[in-house]
Amino acid sequence: MSTHSAQTQLQLVGKLILSGDLHCETGLHIGAGKGSLEIGGADNPVVKDAFGLPYIPGSSLRGKIRSLLEHALGLTSPAELVYLSKRRGQEVRIHQSDRPDDEICLLFGRNPGRIERVEGEAIEMRAATPARLTIYDAPLDTESITPQMRENLDDEITEVKSENAIDRITSQANPRTLERVPAGARFRVRMVLDILCEEDKALPARLAEGLRLLEDDALGGGGSRGSGRIRFANVRLAWRNRAFYSSGAAETELASGADLAAVQALANDGSFAEKLAS
């Protein structure tokens, strides 16, 4: 639980670096829109980089982790939500508050100004809160797509999953296709958590909670239909204090080759804050 208050002073203590592998346990679909369809191609292609390789946008990971934490902390009631977008048919509602100890806002940031709430009067955010958490785009480890996998893929890197929507009156099938990164693919993830005050040292445990929630949920589209099950592995946790940046001091390795259970146990250990020495 956060102990931040309106009087908390912010000054960089250091950065916690989390890196590791994200394994696809089932096919993964993070959509790129439908602006570049080809004849015979999938209706819903996956997002790809300039080299034509699938990747996981940092925004997709960040948004999913935030959503899962909001639900876990009971912050999705109308009174706790604000409109990020209110365009009809494209409403986006997220949690945001003006409480100084709100860990969601501490992790993901908030801007000052007037914000319309889903229920109740609009709120006036008095001050900006810098986002502590940065999540980078996760590139595909091409070696995880083995020659045996390539023999059975629809494309060199991806597969096409065929689905049918059934009309409940006529029983007519309406086929659709979904491009996916195949099960067995591996992406390289990197996250940086800024520690800007002593009170921030409670945030790594909250991040670990969000990552573990993601392992038992789904990333990307089609999660309720079998896509998007992922697992984190080979996690490395390193601490870089101010001296690392100001004078070239060595970083401190806190975990290596770990799974999320070990990372969470470390973050929840009573002595963890002492390891994040200034």
Side-chain angles (χ1 to χ4, degrees), residues 16-38:
L16 192 64
I17 316 296
L18 185 151
S19 58
D21 298 328
L22 184 154
H23 292 260
C24 294
E25 300 288 286
T26 63
L28 174 69
H29 172 82
I30 297 180
K34 302 181 181 181
S36 58
L37 290 180
E38 300 178 0

Side-chain angles (χ1 to χ4, degrees), residues 66-76:
R66 177 173 185 159
S67 174
L68 290 170
L69 284 174
E70 288 174 358
H71 280 283
L73 296 173
L75 299 175
T76 55

Side-chain angles (χ1 to χ4, degrees), residues 16-254:
L16 192 64
I17 316 296
L18 185 151
S19 58
D21 298 328
L22 184 154
H23 292 260
C24 294
E25 300 288 286
T26 63
L28 174 69
H29 172 82
I30 297 180
K34 302 181 181 181
S36 58
L37 290 180
E38 300 178 0
I39 296 176
D43 297 333
N44 298 288
V46 298
V47 62
K48 298 182 179 74
D49 62 18
F51 298 97
L53 295 175
Y55 71 99
I56 300 176
S59 58
S60 296
L61 275 169
R62 195 172 187 271
K64 185 65 178 186
I65 292 168
R66 177 173 185 159
S67 174
L68 290 170
L69 284 174
E70 288 174 358
H71 280 283
L73 296 173
L75 299 175
T76 55
S77 65
E80 291 283 355
L81 299 177
V82 301
Y83 283 105
L84 186 64
S85 170
K86 204 179 178 182
R87 289 179 293 177
R88 185 177 295 276
Q90 300 181 34
E91 294 88 352
V92 177
R93 289 156 285 199
I94 66 171
H95 165 75
Q96 192 160 308
S97 79
D98 208 22
R99 298 188 293 271
D101 62 347
D102 189 321
E103 291 185 345
I104 294 297
C105 293
L106 292 169
L107 276 171
F108 300 99
R110 59 186 155 197
N111 296 318
R114 184 179 176 84
I115 298 182
E116 187 172 349
R117 297 166 64 187
V118 173
E119 182 179 280
E121 297 182 357
I123 55 176
E124 190 74 29
M125 295 290 176
R126 294 185 294 272
T129 298
R132 298 336 194 242
L133 179 62
T134 300
I135 301 181
Y136 296 93
D137 291 348
L140 174 70
D141 183 349
T142 54
E143 292 185 0
S144 66
I145 309 296
T146 65
Q148 182 181 6
M149 292 168 64
R150 291 176 189 268
E151 290 178 2
N152 297 290
L153 293 176
D154 299 281
D155 196 357
E156 184 179 359
I157 298 292
T158 61
E159 65 184 8
V160 175
K161 180 187 180 187
S162 298
E163 300 178 335
N164 277 312
I166 306 298
D167 184 277
R168 297 322 191 250
I169 304 299
T170 65
S171 296
Q172 179 179 345
N174 296 284
R176 61 192 177 204
T177 55
L178 191 73
E179 185 180 26
R180 304 195 307 179
V181 179
R186 183 172 63 244
F187 294 85
R188 299 188 298 274
V189 297
R190 178 182 172 86
M191 306 178 188
V192 178
L193 182 62
D194 290 348
I195 304 299
L196 303 182
C197 57
E198 288 298 314
E199 292 86 345
D200 280 353
K201 293 181 179 181
L203 296 178
R206 190 64 70 193
L207 173 59
E209 178 185 355
L211 294 174
R212 295 205 74 183
L213 285 167
L214 179 55
E215 284 192 328
D216 280 336
D217 204 274
L219 180 64
S224 64
R225 304 191 303 275
S227 299
R229 183 184 173 196
I230 61 94
R231 172 177 56 88
F232 292 95
N234 197 30
V235 177
R236 182 177 186 269
L237 203 62
W239 170 246
R240 297 175 177 177
N241 61 16
R242 286 187 62 196
F244 176 90
Y245 301 98
S246 62
S247 60
E251 70 178 17
T252 301
E253 186 175 84
L254 302 177

